[in-house]
Amino acid sequence: MGNLDVRWQHGSPSSARNTDPLIQVHAYDEHTFILRQNKAVHYEAPFMFLLCGNERALLLDTGATEDAEQFPLRATVDRLLADRLAAHPRDGYELVVAHTHGHGDHHAGDGQFTGRPDTGVIPVDVDAVRGFFGITDWPKQVVRYDLGGRVLDVVGIPGHQAASIAIFDPWTGFLFTGDTVCRGRLYVKDFPAFVDSIRRLVDFAAARDVTWVLGCHIEMTTKPGRDYPIGTTYQPAEPPLQLPADCLTTVRDAAESVADRLGVHVFDDFIIYHGPCTGAVLRQAARGLGNRLVNRVRAIRKPAG
């Protein structure tokens, strides 16, 4: 099986001098690809996932940028699928574009797939997600979605955003959790729904052989409890993308412990934002400005000697 020992591109002190590819592609195996958007294109640098079965492929999320020149997602996906189909020929191979949730930094690139043959793009509203996957008892029902020899388990996990879903892939053991569980700031829109979702997610994972939990962002540093500020385009001290399966229990316990307390709650691998947290958001903006100024100084400073 593949590996996740990856040095993810983490930006540059100067966006103008950033030489990373616009999209980093990591082939976990010949059927599984993890993509990350360049931080110089958009500071969110979200991760996207391409899972290939015998009959169709699933692209999970389309990033934070619409423009195909700045962010050539379709061209990248087309190349990956063409290479795979050259090795495993199929007629009428489908592509399904789905989303971990409905925030703009995860579906901005949807329009690139308009008119692509044998392609369906699932809208980001709850009714569309329920209808496509056949979820009749939202969000509790677990349904299966078959890519052809690769059957995924799908369940609703609202709280961060109303249409949030988690997907388990038995082929890799990956549990994809979007922004609900990741190494970063967990913004909670509906806290009772979030706690319920995390509790169900713990049970969901316990019944499956989860190898790693994969969110869609890295916003933490390698220092426990310390995040990079919003807007950061250079993150040289990033921890790994993947989290162990027991992180779900940690998030559940943390969420339960602060359920009756509005505010920002800091934990080693994530930070829970419970409520508007206006002051904290303003402080984040100030931190981000300071961080960008420091990086600009670093970028123009001549090397010693």
Side-chain angles (χ1 to χ4, degrees):
M1 194 57 76
N3 75 83
L4 286 174
D5 184 17
V6 184
R7 184 184 182 276
W8 296 109
Q9 59 188 34
H10 51 249
S12 167
S14 169
S15 294
R17 299 179 186 177
N18 189 308
T19 59
D20 291 334
L22 297 176
I23 301 174
Q24 179 180 4
V25 178
H26 172 62
Y28 177 78
D29 59 37
E30 64 175 330
H31 312 294
T32 309
F33 304 90
I34 303 174
L35 292 73
R36 191 186 196 184
Q37 185 168 357
N38 188 315
K39 289 190 73 68
V41 177
H42 199 289
Y43 73 88
E44 292 279 10
F47 287 84
M48 298 144 284
F49 309 94
L50 182 64
L51 312 178
C52 301
N54 291 328
E55 298 175 8
R56 61 188 58 85
L58 176 74
L59 175 63
L60 194 56
D61 290 347
T62 63
T65 301
E66 179 180 359
D67 185 81
E69 290 189 9
Q70 292 183 310
F71 179 55
L73 180 62
R74 175 172 169 177
T76 301
V77 170
D78 284 350
R79 173 178 57 80
L80 293 172
L81 293 181
D83 290 347
R84 187 178 183 282
L85 288 173
H88 307 278
R90 294 285 190 280
D91 291 328
Y93 193 73
E94 300 176 17
L95 174 65
V96 174
V97 179
H99 311 88
T100 57
H101 62 292
H103 287 157
D105 56 319
H106 298 269
H107 66 80
D110 281 9
Q112 294 187 30
F113 296 89
T114 300
R116 185 184 186 279
D118 300 310
T119 300
V121 179
I122 306 171
V124 296
D125 61 281
V126 174
D127 287 343
V129 174
R130 291 180 59 178
F132 179 82
F133 288 110
I135 303 174
T136 57
D137 184 14
W138 175 270
K140 298 178 180 180
Q141 184 183 8
V142 177
V143 298
R144 292 192 163 187
Y145 185 68
D146 191 356
L147 299 179
R150 188 175 192 174
V151 182
L152 311 175
D153 289 339
V154 183
V155 65
I157 52 169
H160 171 71
Q161 193 271 336
S164 294
I165 59 173
I167 295 180
F168 174 68
D169 172 34
W171 173 260
T172 57
F174 293 164
L175 176 60
F176 302 99
T177 52
D179 290 2
T180 298
V181 178
C182 67
R183 290 190 190 270
R185 295 176 288 274
L186 310 185
Y187 297 104
V188 182
K189 181 74 172 179
D190 181 337
F191 214 87
F194 180 78
V195 172
D196 175 69
S197 292
I198 295 299
R199 287 171 175 166
R200 289 186 293 102
L201 202 52
V202 169
D203 294 338
F204 177 88
R208 291 160 177 83
D209 294 326
V210 176
T211 56
W212 296 107
V213 173
L214 301 186
C216 287
H217 296 283
I218 302 174
E219 296 170 339
M220 305 302 288
T221 70
T222 51
K223 181 179 179 180
R226 183 69 172 177
D227 62 333
Y228 285 101
I230 295 172
T232 300
T233 57
Y234 180 48
Q235 300 185 173
E238 286 187 342
L241 167 66
Q242 66 272 21
L243 284 157
D246 61 8
C247 76
L248 300 173
T249 302
T250 303
V251 174
R252 180 201 64 192
D253 293 348
E256 290 177 344
S257 74
V258 303
D260 60 350
R261 290 189 286 136
L262 296 175
V264 179
H265 306 281
V266 179
F267 300 89
D268 284 355
D269 292 315
F270 55 89
I271 301 173
I272 295 177
Y273 277 63
H274 183 355
C277 304
T278 304
V281 171
L282 290 174
R283 289 191 293 274
Q284 277 279 353
R287 282 182 62 205
L289 177 60
N291 183 270
R292 288 192 291 276
L293 290 173
V294 168
N295 286 337
R296 286 176 185 173
V297 171
R298 288 173 176 168
I300 63 176
R301 182 178 295 164
K302 293 182 179 180

